[in-house]
Amino acid sequence: MNLRAIKRNIPFVATASVCLLLFLFASLRYKGFLKLPYLLGFISDDAYLGIAAIGLTFVILTGGIDLSVGGVIGLTSISLALLVEKHHMNPMYAIPLVLVGGVLFGTLMGCLIHFYLLPPFLVTLAGMFLVRGLAFVFNQESIQLTDQMLGGHSASHSLIVFNSTIKIPLANTSIPGTTLIYFVIFLIALVVAQFTKFGRNVYALGGNEHSAALMGLPVARTKIGVYVISSLCSTLAGIVHLLYNVKGDPTSGTGLELDAIAAVVIGGTLLSGGVGYIAGTIIGVLILSIIQAIINFEGSLNSWWTRIAIGMLLLLFILLQKLIQAKKFKTAGTFQKT
Amino acid sequence: MADATALLQLRGISKGFPGVKALSDVQLTIRRGEIHSLMGENGAGKSTLIKVLTGVYRRDGGEILLNGTSIDARSPEEAQRLGISTVYQEVNLIPHLSVAENICLGRQTTTLGFLKWKEIRQRAEKALARLGIEIDVTETVSNYSIAIQQLVAIARALDIDAKVLILDEPTSSLDEKEVEALFTVLRKLKAEGLGIVFVTHFLDQVYAVSDRITVLRNGTYVGEYEAALLPRLQLISKMMGKELSELEMKAADRVATKAGVTPFLKLKQVGRKGSLKPLDLEIAAGEIVGLSGLLGSGRTETARIVFGLDRADCGELQLDGKAISITSPRQASGLKFGFCPEDRKVQAIIPNLSVRENIVLALQANRGWMGYVSRPTQIQLADKFIKALNIKTPNPEQPIRLLSGGNQQKVILARWLASNPRLLILDEPTRGIDVGAKLEIEKLMAQLTGEGMAILFISSDLEETVRNSHRVVVLRDRQKVCELRGEEISEKNIMHAIAASDSDQ
Ligand SMILES: Nc1ncnc2c1ncn2[C@@H]1O[C@H](COP(=O)(O)OP(=O)(O)OP(=O)(O)O)[C@@H](O)[C@H]1O
Ligand SMILES: [Mg+2]
C-alpha cells in the first residue's frame, strides 16, 4: 500500500494496527497465547459472531442497521435442533428449510424498510422481539443433540459428527468444519463487496441514496438485498452455533447484535454508511476475541472487564471516525455555517 | 401533431406539488440530431419537467412518446434503459467513491458477473478524455473541485449509449475551456443523431449551441423557437413575461460608481504555501472589490484565507490598523465577516429548515443565543428578501429543499445579506440564477454598499465584474497580477491581464 492508499483508509489501518498491537501484547505477556491450537480455538469460538457481523456489515454500509441478528441465531439454533432431534428430519432438508426461513424474514424486513420508508432501527427491533419470542415459543429449554439410533439411523448424527468429520488437520491440531464455513463466507463476502455490481451499489446507496437513485442504480433491489444477506448470514451463524455446541438453545445469540455492531464499527465501517470493508469487520471480531482472551489469561480480572474494554475501544474508534470526517470536511473545501 | 422527425415528445404534461402547480399543460418536442435549450426563470419548472420525463416524479397528466411509442418510466433506472441519459441539476455523485466508479457505477464491465477494475478505470479515463480532462480516476471524487465533479457527472452521462441526452445546468461551475470541450462533444453527438436537451442560465451558451429553444414560464408552455430567429432580448422577455427594455439593461451598466475611502481591512503579503503566493489587498467600507481570474487562479483561496477557512502562513492581516490573525470561520463571523461559498448548492442549505429559518440562520448565529431574533422580525426579514430577490416559494415556511435550484441559491444569498456583515465575501453569487434575478442582486449589492457594507466579489463573469466593482484585483496562477481601478476597469483590460504571459509582466 502506498502512502495515499493508507491515508484514504485510516480507519482500516487503525483497526489493523490495534489488532496487531493487542496480538503482540498478548503473545509477549502470556505463554500459552501464541500456540496454534489456542489461536484457532478462539477464532472458532467466535465464528458465529463473525458470520453474523459480515452480514451486518452490508446493512451498515447502506447506512441501515439490523438488530435482529442475535434473535435469528437463537431461532435458527432451536428450530433446527427441534426439527432434527424431535421430528427426526433429515438435516439435508432441515438446513435448507431454515435458510429459506431466514431469507424470507430478511425480505420482509427489507420490504417494510424500503417500501414503507420505516426506520431500519425500529423494523429490526420489532423483528428481534419477534424471532426471539418465537424461539421460546418453539421450545423453552435447550435441546442437546443426542446420537441415539432410531430405527437404524439417527438424524442428529450427521450434525453431531460434523466438526469431527469435516476438519483440516494442521500441525498438531485441526480446523473444525464450522470455522471453515466462516472462512468461506468471509471470502464470498469479500468478493461480493469488491467485485460485483451489487456490492458496489451497496456502497453507493450508503454514500448518498438520493444520488444513487438519480444515477439509475437499482435502489430497491439493493436495499432489500442487504437485509436478506444479513438474515441469511445470521441464519448460517445460528446453524454454525448449533454445530459447534451440539446443542440447540433459544437463548443463543442474546445480545450478540451489539457485539456484532461493535465489531463492524471497530472494523472501520462508518455507521452513516458508504465507507468500510468486510476485512475490517473480521479484524474487528478478532480484536473482540483477543480482548476476551487477554482478560481470561489475566485470571484475576472479572470477565465483565471485556465489556469495559470493548466500550472504551468503541468510543476511541468513533472519535477517530469523527476526527477523520472533520478533516475531510475541511480539506474538501466545504463550509457549512450553522 | 405527429411529427415524423420527433424523437421525443412530451404533450400536455402537468405536475403539482402540495401548494404549487409546477407544470400545467407543458409540451416539449426533441428531434433527432438537435440541441434543444429549455429556458425559463428560476422556478419555471425546467427541472421538474426533466424529472417527470425520467421517472423521478410521477406525472399527474400528459403523454410522453419516444420514437412514437408511449413510454412511462417509473425510475431513473428505467429511463436509462429506455435510452434517456440525464445529468440532473444537483450534481449527483457518490462522494466516497472513486472517480472511475462514479462514472461506471451500474454499468461496469464484468465477466461472469465479476467486475474488471482495470477496464473500468480505462473506460473512465477515456470518458473524461473526451471532455479534455486527465485526472487520477482512482482518487475519491469528493477530493476534486466542484468543476471536476460536474465534469465527472457529465462524463458519466456521455458514457452510455443513449438516444436522448439531458443536461440540467451542467456548466454552472465550468470555465470557458471546459464548456468549449463539452460543446464539441455535444455537437458530435448531435451529428450522430442524438436529441439533446440543454438547460442553462448563460445566454451566451444557449446561442452558441442550440438549434431550438423552448421557453417555460411559471410552469406553463410559452413557445418553441428557432434559436437563430429569436433575439436575445425577446428571449428574456418571453422568459420574464414582460418587456425588458434595452434601457433597463443599460441602466444596470456600471452599477458601481463611487469608491470607498480608507480601507479597514488590509492584507500585507499574505500567502499560503501551495495555494496562494503572497499578495496585498485592501478593502474599504462601502466598496466592492472584484476578484477576477480563471478558475483555480487563487480567487477562492484568497477568500478562504480572509474568512479563516485556511490559515495564512506568511504576511500580515490588519483590521482597523491592528494586526490580527483569523484562524477560524467562527472568529471571522465574530468580526462581522460573511462568506457565501461557491458550492453553496450542496454545502450550505439545511434542507429541512424552512426558507425563513434558512434566511435568519447567519443573523441568529452572529447574535448568539442571547440575542434571539423575534419571530415577527424573522417573518419581516424573510418577506423582505423573498420580495427583493424574487424568491419563488409558496410561503416562507416551505422547506428549502422543495425550492428550485436557483431559488435555493437566492435563499443562501439572502442569508448572508440579512446578517448585515461588515465584509461580505460572495463567491460566484449569481451562478445558476436567472437574468432578472441577477439584476435584482446587483441592485441590492449597490444599495448595501451604499449603507457601508464592503463586498469582496468573486465572479467568472467579466461583464458582471466590470459592472459592479469599484476596484478589480486580477489573479493568475495563484498570484496577484494587477489591480484595476476607475476607468481602467474594462473587460478588455481584465482579459489582457489574465492572458498576459509571465514574461511581459
Ligand atoms: N419536491 C417538490 N415539492 C414541492 N415543490 C417543488 C418540488 N420540486 C419543485 N417544486 C417547485 O416547483 C417549481 C418548479 O421548480 P423547478 O425545480 O422545476 O424549477 P427550475 O425551472 O428548474 O428552476 P431553476 O432554474 O432555479 O433550477 C418551483 O416553484 C419549486 O418550488
Ligand atoms: Mg432547475
Side-chain angles (χ1 to χ4, degrees):
Chain A
M1 261 206 294
N2 59 19
L3 203 68
R4 220 187 53 206
I6 291 176
K7 236 167 129 186
R8 211 180 296 163
N9 298 317
I10 291 177
F12 182 74
V13 174
T15 308
S17 331
V18 167
C19 185
L20 207 67
L21 282 178
L22 282 172
F23 187 82
L24 285 178
F25 171 81
S27 36
L28 291 177
R29 188 169 159 94
Y30 311 112
K31 258 178 107 189
F33 188 83
L34 207 59
K35 294 252 165 60
L36 200 57
Y38 185 78
L39 294 178
L40 268 176
F42 74 62
I43 290 177
S44 302
D45 282 349
D46 282 336
Y48 75 115
L49 169 63
I51 295 171
I54 288 172
L56 186 63
T57 309
F58 283 95
V59 175
I60 293 183
L61 277 175
T62 65
I65 193 84
D66 186 356
L67 298 177
S68 72
V69 292
V72 171
I73 289 176
L75 181 60
T76 306
S77 148
I78 194 65
S79 36
L80 189 57
L82 262 178
L83 286 175
V84 174
E85 182 72 21
K86 294 270 146 68
H87 299 280
H88 308 296
M89 196 185 212
N90 187 337
M92 289 286 280
Y93 304 119
I95 289 178
L97 193 67
V98 291
L99 286 176
V100 168
V103 167
L104 287 179
F105 180 64
T107 314
L108 177 71
M109 290 197 303
C111 287
L112 286 174
I113 290 163
H114 180 73
F115 292 111
Y116 296 95
L117 304 174
L118 300 175
F121 187 94
L122 294 181
V123 171
T124 58
L125 184 67
M128 168 180 116
F129 284 123
L130 184 80
V131 287
R132 182 67 70 191
L134 265 183
F136 280 100
V137 168
F138 282 177
N139 209 45
Q140 300 245 5
E141 261 99 61
S142 61
I143 300 175
Q144 188 74 38
L145 295 183
T146 51
D147 204 357
Q148 47 168 303
M149 292 289 179
L150 279 166
H153 82 282
S154 158
S156 304
H157 181 73
S158 47
L159 294 186
I160 295 172
V161 299
F162 181 84
N163 265 346
S164 46
T165 19
I166 301 192
K167 59 181 181 192
I168 295 185
L170 186 76
N172 44 16
T173 177
S174 62
I175 306 174
T178 47
T179 310
L180 286 177
I181 296 180
Y182 176 30
F183 289 155
V184 170
I185 291 175
F186 168 50
L187 289 179
I188 293 175
L190 264 187
V191 172
V192 168
Q194 293 302 321
F195 293 97
T196 65
K197 286 189 185 185
F198 173 82
R200 302 321 294 169
N201 290 345
V202 167
Y203 281 87
L205 201 61
N208 186 335
E209 186 171 340
H210 182 63
S211 289
L214 290 184
M215 286 167 104
L217 303 179
V219 172
R221 210 186 322 145
T222 311
K223 205 167 191 183
I224 297 169
V226 294
Y227 289 95
V228 171
I229 288 184
S230 178
S231 283
L232 184 63
C233 280
S234 36
T235 310
L236 282 164
I239 297 172
V240 162
H241 191 267
L242 176 73
L243 293 177
Y244 194 69
N245 297 303
V246 203
K247 187 174 82 175
D249 188 345
T251 63
S252 56
T254 306
L256 174 127
E257 55 279 346
L258 302 180
D259 288 313
I261 294 171
V264 174
V265 172
I266 290 176
T269 301
L270 295 189
L271 268 183
S272 51
V275 182
Y277 296 98
I278 299 291
T281 298
I282 298 299
I283 298 178
V285 172
L286 211 56
I287 290 179
L288 299 192
S289 310
I290 296 177
I291 292 176
Q292 177 77 55
I294 289 176
I295 286 172
N296 287 346
F297 268 109
E298 254 342 291
S300 63
L301 283 176
N302 186 320
S303 75
W304 287 100
W305 279 101
T306 319
R307 302 268 122 188
I308 294 175
I310 294 174
M312 308 269 269
L313 208 58
L314 202 56
L315 210 60
L316 197 81
F317 274 85
I318 294 170
L319 284 176
L320 181 78
Q321 290 186 0
K322 198 86 202 159
L323 219 70
I324 294 164
Q325 273 178 327
K327 198 152 165 232
K328 270 233 170 91
F329 197 54
K330 215 170 161 196
T331 49
T334 58
F335 166 63
Q336 188 163 11
K337 171 89 195 183
T338 42
Chain B
M1 205 189 71
D3 194 329
T5 56
L7 172 61
L8 179 72
Q9 267 185 297
L10 285 77
R11 291 192 207 144
I13 303 290
S14 59
K15 172 74 193 170
F17 297 110
V20 191
K21 186 92 184 123
L23 297 172
S24 54
D25 196 17
V26 170
Q27 64 187 69
L28 175 68
T29 306
I30 309 297
R31 295 158 190 81
R32 246 172 232 99
E34 78 166 356
I35 300 181
H36 196 121
S37 282
L38 186 58
M39 301 291 298
E41 294 189 282
N42 295 132
K46 305 178 295 290
S47 301
T48 306
L49 187 64
I50 289 167
K51 287 185 172 169
V52 163
L53 166 62
T54 55
V56 179
Y57 299 144
R58 307 287 301 151
R59 58 181 184 263
D60 298 341
E63 195 184 9
I64 301 176
L65 302 175
L66 183 66
N67 276 329
T69 44
S70 172
I71 59 163
D72 185 16
R74 279 154 195 281
S75 66
E77 187 193 353
E78 216 179 313
Q80 265 184 27
R81 251 185 281 129
L82 290 167
I84 304 174
S85 182
T86 314
V87 178
Y88 295 92
Q89 184 172 9
E90 55 270 44
V91 176
N92 33 81
L93 297 171
I94 310 296
H96 300 302
L97 297 184
S98 72
V99 170
E101 275 211 89
N102 268 291
I103 291 177
C104 298
L105 257 179
R107 43 185 132 88
Q108 300 98 326
T109 331
T110 56
T111 33
L112 300 170
F114 297 112
L115 305 186
K116 295 164 89 175
W117 280 106
K118 202 169 147 218
E119 284 180 28
I120 289 169
R121 278 195 290 275
Q122 287 168 347
R123 197 165 129 196
E125 273 162 10
K126 244 199 250 146
L128 286 169
R130 278 174 92 180
L131 293 170
I133 38 178
E134 237 177 88
I135 53 171
D136 177 5
V137 296
T138 60
E139 182 62 68
T140 311
V141 78
S142 58
N143 286 346
Y144 285 109
S145 68
I146 299 292
I148 295 286
Q149 292 185 24
Q150 207 159 38
L151 287 164
V152 170
I154 296 171
R156 175 180 169 82
L158 297 179
D159 182 52
I160 146 178
D161 243 346
K163 301 190 194 89
V164 179
L165 176 65
I166 302 174
L167 302 163
D168 193 352
E169 295 198 35
T171 56
S172 59
S173 304
L174 304 187
D175 68 22
E176 247 165 86
K177 229 175 59 214
E178 290 159 340
V179 170
E180 210 28 69
L182 171 65
F183 285 179
T184 310
V185 177
L186 291 189
R187 289 191 189 105
K188 204 172 128 246
L189 292 174
K190 168 178 139 175
E192 288 167 12
L194 254 79
I196 299 170
V197 181
F198 182 55
V199 179
T200 184
H201 289 289
F202 296 113
L203 296 183
D204 291 337
Q205 295 180 8
V206 171
Y207 282 102
V209 285
S210 349
D211 302 298
R212 283 193 186 73
I213 300 174
T214 289
V215 177
L216 301 184
R217 184 170 66 235
N218 267 333
T220 58
Y221 171 77
V222 175
E224 188 198 77
Y225 313 91
E226 299 267 338
L229 304 178
L230 183 71
R232 211 173 262 243
L233 272 178
Q234 250 181 46
L235 170 62
I236 295 173
S237 54
K238 295 229 184 297
M239 279 165 36
M240 295 178 63
K242 60 178 179 213
E243 293 298 319
L244 183 74
S245 60
E246 301 246 8
L247 228 66
E248 216 173 315
M249 291 289 276
K250 278 265 160 55
D253 251 21
R254 279 208 73 81
V255 179
T257 42
K258 66 169 203 301
V261 260
T262 41
F264 67 92
L265 181 72
K266 289 185 190 171
L267 274 69
K268 290 191 168 162
Q269 289 302 301
V270 167
R272 182 181 154 87
K273 229 197 208 122
S275 72
L276 192 67
K277 298 190 182 131
L279 58 69
D280 289 331
L281 185 72
E282 298 184 342
I283 186 160
E287 192 180 33
I288 302 182
V289 176
L291 280 184
S292 207
L294 300 175
L295 271 180
S297 59
R299 300 174 311 183
T300 302
E301 288 76 2
T302 311
R304 287 176 63 89
I305 288 177
V306 173
F307 199 64
L309 281 162
D310 290 329
R311 192 90 76 93
D313 52 17
C314 65
E316 187 183 77
L317 241 97
Q318 282 186 359
L319 185 70
D320 297 321
K322 279 195 289 282
I324 53 159
S325 70
I326 300 177
T327 53
S328 72
R330 161 162 284 176
Q331 189 196 352
S333 305
L335 297 170
K336 298 203 73 176
F337 289 7
F339 181 35
C340 185
E342 171 185 27
D343 46 355
R344 59 195 166 277
K345 211 184 331 195
V346 223
Q347 309 304 341
I349 68 164
I350 317 283
N352 289 320
L353 290 190
S354 70
V355 172
R356 168 180 57 81
E357 287 164 318
N358 267 289
I359 290 179
V360 295
L361 211 58
L363 179 62
Q364 185 65 68
N366 272 357
R367 295 221 194 145
W369 60 274
M370 297 276 284
Y372 177 68
V373 184
S374 74
R375 203 168 162 108
T377 321
Q378 290 190 16
I379 293 173
Q380 205 187 340
L381 263 175
D383 283 342
K384 177 178 147 199
F385 282 102
I386 287 174
K387 223 192 259 119
L389 299 179
N390 192 16
I391 296 171
K392 205 169 165 252
T393 173
N395 62 61
E397 301 308 317
Q398 184 86 338
I400 189 173
R401 75 188 144 84
L402 301 181
L403 264 54
S404 82
N407 282 304
Q408 291 183 6
Q409 299 202 45
K410 290 188 205 169
V411 173
I412 302 309
L413 196 61
R415 175 192 299 169
W416 293 108
L417 296 172
S419 72
N420 197 17
R422 190 171 177 196
L423 169 69
L424 180 59
I425 306 167
L426 297 175
D427 198 349
E428 302 284 2
T430 60
R431 199 177 264 168
I433 286 180
D434 66 48
V435 218
K438 256 183 210 169
L439 295 181
E440 295 303 323
I441 289 171
E442 290 178 7
K443 271 190 223 156
L444 205 62
M445 276 173 34
Q447 184 199 331
L448 288 168
T449 45
E451 291 163 12
M453 190 187 289
I455 296 179
L456 195 57
F457 182 70
I458 305 177
S459 169
S460 298
D461 186 341
L462 289 186
E463 225 177 288
E464 195 175 83
T465 309
V466 169
R467 206 159 48 220
N468 295 294
S469 313
H470 298 110
R471 223 152 22 92
V472 176
V473 171
V474 182
L475 294 157
R476 179 176 12 103
D477 294 335
R478 307 178 179 279
Q479 192 173 359
K480 177 173 167 180
V481 288
C482 72
E483 193 170 317
L484 305 169
R485 51 183 79 224
E487 289 305 307
E488 294 165 10
I489 302 177
S490 71
E491 279 184 57
K492 204 177 114 229
N493 283 349
I494 297 178
M495 293 247 269
H496 195 83
I498 292 175
S501 69
D502 285 303
S503 54
D504 51 46
Q505 256 182 65

